[in-house]
Amino acid sequence: MNRTAWATDAARPRRIVGLVVLAAPVALGVGRSRYRRGIMVDVVSPALARRIALAAQGFARPLPEAPGTRAVNGVIDRLALLQIDSVNVFERSHYLPAFSRVGAYDRTALDRITTGRRGRMVEYWAHQAAFIPRELWPLFEFRRAAFRANGSDWGGWVAEDAPLAEWLRAELAANGPMRASEIEHDANERRGPWWGWSDVKRTLEMMFRTGDVVCVERRRFERVYALPEQALPSELLGTAPAEADAVRELVELAASAQGIATEADLADYWRMKRAPVRQAITELEESGVLLPVEVPGWQTGARQTPAWLHRDAKRPRRIETAAVLSPFDPVVWFRPRTERLFDFHYRIEIYTPEPERKFGYYSLPVLIDDRVVGRVDLKSDRQAGVLRVQSAWSEPGAPAETAARLVPVLQRAAAWQGLGEVSVTGRGDLSPALAAELRAAG
């Protein structure tokens, strides 16, 4: 077993597996074979590719009766990150992937995992802003170095105002973790196109990207900044793999989380450049971690798009699940992959003027078994104690039982949010059937 030398046993990501060189091609049992660059590859049907992807994401298991911290940690093991978003009309995005996969868990369990020195995760600019297992922190040193070297706006700002950055470090060293609002001395000063941020906030945000400060938690969704040594174990600081090794580790994690993927899919998972990802794929293919496959219909123009299967990917005969997905769930966050896997064109309409919205302000994709069959625009009306379905739409070919399968999910979501009922208040071709099912359910 060959592992990168930088990581200690305690610091290694749980999902990274050893690299083993295979002496012969592995028979996948997934279809007929073809040749790619002189190498025999198996052909995976589009339906099986969907099931592989969903199984890798944790949708091949029934919901646990009482999901606790262990179940939530299992989701983190599979995904390796939870994307963060500020919209709270239904629920903040990072809480939703675990709900979609394990049901109505206690959100404070995730809070304990994602915050504080004892938390398992730390926030960083991984996909977008995201919680990642803290043992992955060294893998992103190449990104922090790029921000330091190439951030012409952000990096230039810190370089030009080094005294402010040094003052901020001194404040955090003396006082411990603090919010920007607690240390801004000139909160009314606003400059240029920086969304109203003060100079302090602007500098802290760049220092967050370069790793000079970390986000130890959020209070009312505002970042609490700390020095790295105040928030991370010492074994994760001051050491990092070479960029090529880090990219290879991250590509392997992405492949494990996605099950089956193209180069673009693997690059997007951690928002990495294609050239180093391509080199990592070659090395992982040579070592047997990634197995080259083809999926009919996965094409770029008239050309077949190469794909790879992680050697540990499960290949289930069926997926039985019903869930709503965050717009920032890894199943749907990379729109080209979503269209390839599910023939589902998805855009959130937060920034679309209301008269021009087709599906709703914050519509969530509806997953039934191995297909995305619709979308619902949900709002947690906490004052009234109601989960409002502001619109509900079905996709062409959605099964007749879509509404019946979705209603228990909505009822579970309402209970999870501490709401007493579900009310269909909006438009959409699925809304009448949902309303009827809710009435029948009593």
Side-chain angles (χ1 to χ4, degrees):
M1 182 175 291
N2 175 26
R3 300 212 186 226
T4 51
W6 66 271
T8 65
D9 284 338
R12 286 193 190 104
R14 294 186 185 183
R15 294 284 291 173
I16 292 182
V17 296
L19 307 183
V20 179
V21 178
L22 301 179
V26 175
L28 302 177
V30 294
R32 63 191 183 280
S33 298
R34 294 180 181 170
Y35 284 88
R36 188 162 85 207
R37 301 192 312 274
I39 300 173
M40 186 174 68
V41 301
D42 281 289
V43 177
V44 178
S45 73
L48 179 55
R50 287 197 303 273
R51 297 196 298 272
I52 290 170
L54 289 169
Q57 283 284 303
F59 286 101
R61 298 180 177 183
L63 297 181
E65 291 186 7
T69 301
R70 181 176 180 180
V72 176
N73 272 315
V75 173
I76 293 167
D77 288 342
R78 286 183 175 277
L79 306 188
L81 81 169
L82 299 171
Q83 185 171 335
I84 302 168
D85 185 72
S86 62
V87 176
N88 195 28
V89 64
F90 166 51
E91 180 54 278
R92 295 202 191 279
S93 179
H94 67 281
Y95 290 108
L96 291 177
F99 173 72
S100 299
R101 290 157 177 79
V102 303
Y105 70 99
D106 182 352
R107 284 166 292 178
T108 61
L110 184 58
D111 292 339
R112 289 192 297 270
I113 291 168
T114 57
T115 61
R117 284 185 58 87
R118 296 186 179 183
R120 181 187 166 191
M121 306 186 85
V122 66
E123 183 178 340
Y124 190 58
W125 211 255
H127 179 78
Q128 294 286 338
F131 293 114
I132 59 172
R134 58 173 52 184
E135 60 264 29
L136 299 187
W137 177 262
L139 297 182
F140 288 96
E141 177 56 29
F142 75 93
R143 179 159 296 167
R144 294 189 287 273
F147 276 121
R148 288 192 289 268
N150 302 322
S152 57
D153 291 330
W154 290 92
W157 169 261
V158 173
E160 291 167 9
D161 206 347
L164 175 56
E166 288 302 318
W167 179 79
L168 289 168
R169 292 187 189 96
E171 284 289 291
L172 293 172
N175 301 313
M178 301 174 71
R179 291 172 291 170
S181 59
E182 294 175 301
I183 54 178
E184 286 176 321
H185 281 192
D186 196 6
N188 292 324
E189 181 180 351
R190 299 293 183 262
R191 307 173 69 169
W194 292 102
W195 308 290
W197 287 354
S198 70
D199 295 345
V200 165
K201 175 64 175 177
R202 181 180 172 187
T203 304
L204 282 169
E205 283 298 296
M206 183 55 197
M207 294 171 73
F208 170 68
R209 285 161 172 77
T210 60
D212 291 293
V213 301
V214 299
C215 175
V216 68
E217 62 176 308
R218 286 185 179 234
R219 297 176 192 161
R220 295 185 177 180
F221 212 66
E222 184 181 1
R223 284 192 178 112
V224 177
Y225 299 95
L227 299 177
E229 58 269 26
Q230 294 172 329
L232 295 173
S234 58
E235 62 267 22
L236 297 181
L237 301 175
T239 182
E243 179 174 353
D245 294 332
V247 171
R248 187 171 60 252
E249 298 269 15
L250 290 170
V251 169
E252 183 175 352
L253 278 172
S256 178
Q258 294 178 309
I260 188 169
T262 67
E263 178 189 302
D265 299 337
L266 295 170
D268 178 78
Y269 205 83
W270 302 105
R271 294 290 170 91
M272 297 188 293
K273 294 180 179 179
R274 295 284 289 270
V277 168
R278 191 174 303 125
Q279 179 59 36
I281 290 171
T282 298
E283 294 172 6
L284 291 168
E285 182 179 334
E286 290 173 350
S287 62
V289 174
L290 296 185
L291 309 174
V293 295
E294 285 189 5
V295 182
W298 286 22
Q299 294 181 198
T300 304
R303 299 182 61 184
Q304 180 70 35
T305 302
W308 288 266
L309 184 76
H310 191 278
R311 66 177 175 194
D312 296 331
K314 305 300 182 183
R315 298 179 283 278
R317 293 180 179 272
R318 62 180 60 85
I319 297 287
E320 296 181 3
T321 192
V324 291
L325 305 175
S326 162
F328 307 105
D329 191 294
V331 172
V332 295
W333 68 17
F334 186 42
R335 309 310 191 211
R337 176 175 171 86
T338 304
E339 294 183 24
R340 248 186 286 114
L341 279 170
F342 302 106
D343 192 23
F344 180 68
H345 184 272
Y346 180 52
R347 302 291 185 272
I348 55 175
E349 298 177 319
I350 295 172
Y351 306 109
T352 302
E354 185 172 359
E356 300 175 20
R357 291 177 193 148
K358 181 177 181 181
F359 297 112
Y361 177 77
Y362 197 69
S363 62
L364 285 74
V366 176
L367 177 68
I368 301 292
D369 298 334
D370 67 347
R371 297 173 57 198
V372 177
V373 301
R375 61 197 93 195
V376 288
D377 183 19
L378 300 182
K379 177 180 180 179
S380 292
D381 186 341
R382 296 173 179 88
Q383 185 173 0
V386 175
L387 177 63
R388 301 197 183 279
V389 182
Q390 301 189 112
S391 69
W393 304 85
S394 61
E395 286 293 290
E401 67 272 16
T402 294
R405 299 280 300 277
L406 180 56
V407 161
V409 177
L410 298 177
Q411 292 173 324
R412 187 163 59 244
W416 180 57
Q417 289 288 294
L419 305 173
E421 63 176 297
V422 180
S423 175
V424 180
T425 60
R427 58 196 178 91
D429 62 349
L430 187 58
S431 290
L434 280 179
E437 289 291 339
L438 284 164
R439 288 193 298 269

